[in-house]
Amino acid sequence: MGNLITQILRFDSLPSTNLEAARRAVEGAPEGLCVVAGEQTAGRGRHQRQWVSPKDAGLYFSIILRPRFEQSVWPLLTLMTAIAVHDALLDACSLETDIKWPNDILVNEKKLCGILAETVETCLGRAVVVGIGINLTSKSFSPDLYGVASSVEDATSKSPGVEVVLAALVRVLITHYQLLQRRGGPEVIVGEWCARSSYATGKRIRVSENNENFSAITRGLERDGALRVETDDGEIRIVRAGDVTVVRPISV
Ligand code: BTN
């Protein structure tokens, strides 16, 4: 693909940047259109959860993509986005993060960013809206999540400028999207993801998938980004849609 032209639309408040981007995609908005809001009143998370999005406490961002590569590789869009968030936080905030499969960004094992990719049928064909929510300050999540959530401010003791994070994010997102579309791109993206994630290999996890729970050790990613795991009885299984939690050693 040629150079991707991005345009950023900024709003003080929106129900959800993903919804706004999807609405515009349906009407034919081009690939690369970004939507940013100061707050979301109906922010959406994975598994129909709510994404709490108070004013000026987080980066609430969505981008429209119109991938031309085979749909079997589309799950890599969220992995590619996680790589971009990881690199943007390193560039803009000198913050080293981990990626929990498939695409949660963690610091000290607490979630700092969530990614929600949604497909949408449009007059120009099927598009993907990739939404990113980054906790910039601890006001971005409710106090009952202190044990499991974190923010850039908590992790670095500095208040990050939203525009600095946004500029870095858009820059690296485009670089990695273009990389993904090149010949051999999927393999490169899987490799880059593994290089940034402690979950890629040798991590003891619990998987919950289709009402089934089991423990396993991670054994790398498939070509489409699915997680390969080895169960306790030595069976190799491929996890595509499950939720993964780390098993913490019990300290006595
Ligand atoms: C998750 O549950 O981990 C995904 C959270 C994704 C939240 C972002 S915030 C910007 C965009 N707009 C939404 O409504 N959701 C995503």
Side-chain angles (χ1 to χ4, degrees), residues 15-19 40 42-47 49-51 53 59-62 103-104 111 113-116 118 130-134:
S16 152
T17 56
N18 264 31
L19 278 182
Q40 299 184 114
R44 292 143 64 96
R46 292 173 67 215
H47 307 300
R49 293 187 195 121
Q50 183 196 11
W51 187 260
S53 315
L59 174 59
Y60 314 118
F61 169 93
S62 300
N103 52 30
D104 284 345
K111 183 161 166 175
C113 164
I115 294 166
L116 177 67
E118 299 180 286
V130 179
I132 302 172
I134 302 179

Side-chain angles (χ1 to χ4, degrees), residues 8-251:
I8 301 178
L9 302 179
R10 290 178 170 77
F11 296 83
D12 285 341
S13 177
L14 279 176
S16 152
T17 56
N18 264 31
L19 278 182
E20 180 65 23
R23 192 181 65 75
R24 288 172 185 264
V26 168
E27 289 172 352
E31 173 164 78
L33 185 81
C34 303
V35 176
V36 177
E39 71 172 351
Q40 299 184 114
T41 52
R44 292 143 64 96
R46 292 173 67 215
H47 307 300
Q48 274 78 47
R49 293 187 195 121
Q50 183 196 11
W51 187 260
V52 175
S53 315
K55 194 160 185 51
D56 301 329
L59 174 59
Y60 314 118
F61 169 93
S62 300
I63 184 167
I64 298 172
L65 300 176
R66 297 188 180 276
R68 282 168 286 276
F69 46 81
E70 50 183 291
Q71 209 157 326
S72 63
V73 187
W74 285 24
L76 289 181
L77 287 168
T78 56
L79 273 68
M80 172 282 287
T81 305
I83 297 170
V85 173
H86 171 282
D87 290 6
L89 291 172
L90 197 54
D91 275 16
C93 312
S94 305
L95 177 60
E96 185 64 66
T97 53
D98 192 10
I99 309 174
K100 179 163 88 92
W101 185 86
N103 52 30
D104 284 345
I105 306 295
L106 309 183
V107 64
N108 301 325
E109 297 191 6
K110 295 181 182 180
K111 183 161 166 175
L112 175 105
C113 164
I115 294 166
L116 177 67
E118 299 180 286
T119 52
V120 48
E121 302 302 329
T122 81
C123 57
L124 300 175
R126 184 168 290 178
V128 182
V129 170
V130 179
I132 302 172
I134 302 179
N135 300 337
L136 295 178
T137 78
S138 55
K139 295 195 177 67
S140 55
F141 52 88
S142 73
D144 51 302
L145 294 179
Y146 275 142
V148 290
S150 188
S151 70
V152 176
E153 190 180 40
D154 292 336
T156 63
S157 307
K158 289 192 202 117
S159 288
V162 62
E163 288 299 328
V164 179
V165 179
L166 175 63
L169 179 63
V170 172
R171 184 166 35 78
V172 284
L173 199 48
I174 288 165
T175 306
H176 286 103
Y177 183 52
Q178 290 179 327
L179 182 61
L180 176 58
Q181 311 217 47
R182 290 211 206 115
R183 186 190 297 271
E187 289 75 15
V188 175
I189 288 296
V190 165
E192 295 288 324
W193 188 95
C194 290
R196 290 163 177 77
S197 173
S198 73
Y199 283 73
T201 50
K203 188 103 164 173
R204 174 151 279 280
I205 55 164
R206 244 192 116 67
V207 179
S208 61
E209 186 183 40
N210 304 329
N211 299 326
E212 194 193 355
N213 287 293
F214 58 93
S215 323
I217 294 184
T218 60
R219 297 285 185 228
L221 298 187
E222 296 287 288
R223 186 180 182 273
D224 66 356
L227 184 64
R228 199 180 309 122
V229 300
E230 182 177 345
T231 63
D232 291 345
D233 45 18
E235 186 194 351
I236 296 293
R237 292 183 59 165
I238 307 301
V239 182
R240 289 184 196 282
D243 248 355
V244 157
T245 44
V246 68
V247 179
R248 290 196 176 84
I250 300 166
S251 49

